[in-house]
């Protein structure tokens, strides 16, 4: 009898242990949506429970689902390229919507050098960098003109305003040779003319100014090197940018003109003063009654016959 009681007691303890373990192992499903700072959903954001392996990613609409063992204490970690990493406490919620901010420090951390990239803090050569957004603020379409005043040590000189020759001459620090002082321009690693690049397609521009930075390019980089990196496609919704320019050419000043009424009076005055020299000029003399019709026509017929229209106005 005692053995049966012990057996039943052991079975009861075992059942209680199994039930407790099952309740402890049960995980709650947490779902939500991830958007950027413009309100657009982010695709492919990595979502994971802090301190646990594995995780999930957001779908085409920025939605995700993940099992959280302890929704009271656990935290969710959101990571995405180009965005600041975000950690959020669940706090017993089953729906967690988050907004991720753009990481503005990405450009400051990396600098394009030679045929690769380096951390900005580890670069010892004289290198300056600017972004495409800064260049677009200048309001000009020429990349060379947009560099004016935006990069230290870069001198631009515009010597012609002829169509097709608006691009200025670029000198880095100073002219080092008499045969030519143009820097080497590389667009995505390929030598190209700077004027062939659309300013709206530029991601960043790095300018290598001293010998330690330009040594990898040999003699071609003796006058400095300008590295242009164009924009790349990014995962997510399409982004459309529209820019419109309008130019109106008008005369700054035009000469004043007399109307028909005053013109005939001036002609009559000239004829009167030249009558002693040219008596035949009286044949061009206009009677006052006719002149008055140019300014005060009596009817539509006279208005059409004696016009006094200011076409410029």
């Amino acid at each position: 009898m005692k053995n049966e009681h012990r057996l039943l007691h052991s079975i009861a303890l075992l059942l209680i242990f199994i039930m407790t373990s099952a309740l402890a192992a049960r995980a709650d499903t947490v779902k939500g949506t991830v958007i950027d700072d413009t309100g657009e959903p982010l695709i492919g954001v990595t979502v994971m429970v802090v301190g646990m392996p594995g995780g999930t990613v957001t779908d085409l609409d920025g939605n995700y689902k993940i099992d959280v063992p302890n929704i009271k204490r656990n935290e969710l970690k959101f990571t995405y390229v180009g965005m600041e990493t975000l950690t959020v406490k669940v706090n017993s919620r089953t729906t967690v919507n988050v907004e991720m901010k753009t990481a503005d420090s990405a450009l400051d951390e990396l600098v394009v050098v030679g045929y690769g990239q380096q951390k900005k803090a580890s670069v010892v050569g004289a290198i300056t960098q600017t972004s495409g957004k800064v260049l677009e603020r200048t309001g000009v379409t020429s990349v060379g003109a947009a560099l004016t005043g935006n990069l230290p040590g870069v001198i631009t000189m515009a010597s012609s305003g002829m169509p097709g020759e608006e691009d200025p001459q670029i000198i880095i620090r100073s002219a080092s040779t008499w045969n030519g002082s143009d820097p080497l321009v590389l667009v995505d690693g390929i030598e190209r003319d700077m004027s062939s690049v659309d300013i709206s397609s530029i991601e960043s521009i790095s300018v290598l100014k001293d010998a330690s930075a330009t040594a990898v390019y040999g003699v071609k980089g003796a006058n400095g090197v300008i590295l242009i990196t164009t924009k790349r496609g990014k995962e997510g919704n399409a982004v459309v940018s529209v820019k419109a320019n309008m130019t109106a050419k008008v005369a700054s000043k035009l000469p004043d003109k007399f109307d028909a009424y005053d013109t005939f009076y001036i002609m009559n005055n000239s004829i009167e003063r030249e009558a002693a020299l040219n008596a035949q000029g009286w044949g061009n003399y206009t009677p006052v009654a006719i002149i008055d019709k140019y300014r005060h026509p009596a009817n539509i017929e006279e208005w059409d016959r004696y016009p006094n229209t200011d076409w410029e106005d």
Side-chain angles (χ1 to χ4, degrees):
M1 196 68 177
K2 291 182 179 180
N3 292 334
E4 292 179 357
H5 280 293
R6 290 177 179 176
L7 181 59
L8 292 174
H9 183 68
S10 300
I11 293 173
L13 291 176
L14 181 60
L15 291 174
I16 293 173
F17 176 76
I18 293 173
M19 293 177 63
T20 304
S21 300
L23 290 174
R26 184 178 65 86
D28 294 297
T29 300
V30 177
K31 61 182 180 179
T33 304
V34 183
I35 60 175
D36 59 11
D37 46 12
T38 63
E40 296 294 332
L42 290 175
I43 307 170
V45 178
T46 302
V47 185
M48 58 185 301
V49 180
V50 177
M52 297 188 63
T56 184
V57 294
T58 56
D59 59 15
L60 296 176
D61 298 320
N63 300 324
Y64 72 92
K65 287 184 180 181
I66 188 171
D67 293 332
V68 180
N70 190 340
I71 62 174
K72 293 183 178 180
R73 297 182 180 180
N74 284 135
E75 297 178 337
L76 295 180
K77 185 178 181 180
F78 301 84
T79 56
Y80 190 72
V81 177
M83 296 289 181
E84 296 180 357
T85 302
L86 185 63
T87 302
V88 179
K89 290 184 178 181
V90 180
N91 288 335
S92 302
R93 294 176 294 174
T94 57
T95 302
V96 179
N97 299 323
V98 297
E99 177 183 337
M100 302 189 72
K101 303 293 184 182
T102 303
D104 296 330
S105 60
L107 183 62
D108 296 332
E109 294 176 356
L110 294 178
V111 177
V112 180
V113 179
Y115 297 99
Q117 293 180 340
Q118 292 183 12
K119 286 287 185 180
K120 195 171 185 179
S122 64
V123 175
V124 294
I127 299 175
T128 57
Q129 188 180 44
T130 186
S131 64
K133 292 182 178 179
V134 175
L135 298 180
E136 290 185 39
R137 294 174 188 167
T138 59
V140 298
T141 57
S142 170
V143 180
L147 291 177
T148 305
N150 282 320
L151 293 173
V154 178
I155 304 170
T156 59
M157 296 185 297
S159 58
S160 174
M162 296 181 61
E165 298 182 7
E166 299 89 351
D167 292 330
Q169 181 185 7
I170 298 177
I171 299 176
I172 298 178
R173 286 191 169 174
S174 63
S176 58
T177 61
W178 291 103
N179 296 327
S181 56
D182 293 334
L184 174 64
V185 179
L186 297 178
V187 181
D188 294 330
I190 300 175
E191 187 174 355
R192 282 176 54 186
D193 189 1
M194 185 182 296
S195 61
S196 65
V197 182
D198 184 10
I199 193 170
S200 62
S201 65
I202 295 177
E203 181 72 27
S204 64
I205 292 183
S206 297
V207 179
L208 316 184
K209 295 186 287 187
D210 65 352
S212 63
T214 62
V216 67
Y217 299 101
V219 68
K220 280 193 172 183
N223 296 309
V225 182
I226 298 177
L227 304 177
I228 300 177
T229 303
T230 58
K231 295 178 181 178
R232 296 291 186 271
K234 297 179 181 179
E235 188 175 357
N237 294 339
V239 178
V240 179
S241 299
V242 179
K243 185 177 181 181
N245 293 324
M246 184 184 70
T247 303
K249 295 184 177 181
V250 297
S252 58
K253 183 175 179 60
L254 294 173
D256 295 330
K257 299 178 181 179
F258 292 104
D259 64 353
Y261 180 90
D262 293 329
T263 301
F264 281 111
Y265 265 110
I266 294 173
M267 289 176 63
N268 285 352
N269 290 334
S270 300
I271 293 172
E272 291 171 0
R273 285 164 174 75
E274 295 175 359
L277 300 176
N278 184 15
Q280 296 178 355
W282 286 101
N284 298 322
Y285 194 87
T286 305
V288 176
I290 298 299
I291 297 176
D292 190 62
K293 294 180 182 295
Y294 284 93
R295 182 168 290 182
H296 306 290
N299 48 52
I300 296 179
E301 182 180 354
E302 289 187 358
W303 177 84
D304 184 58
R305 186 174 182 181
Y306 305 101
N308 192 26
T309 305
D310 186 357
W311 296 109
E312 181 184 319
D313 183 64

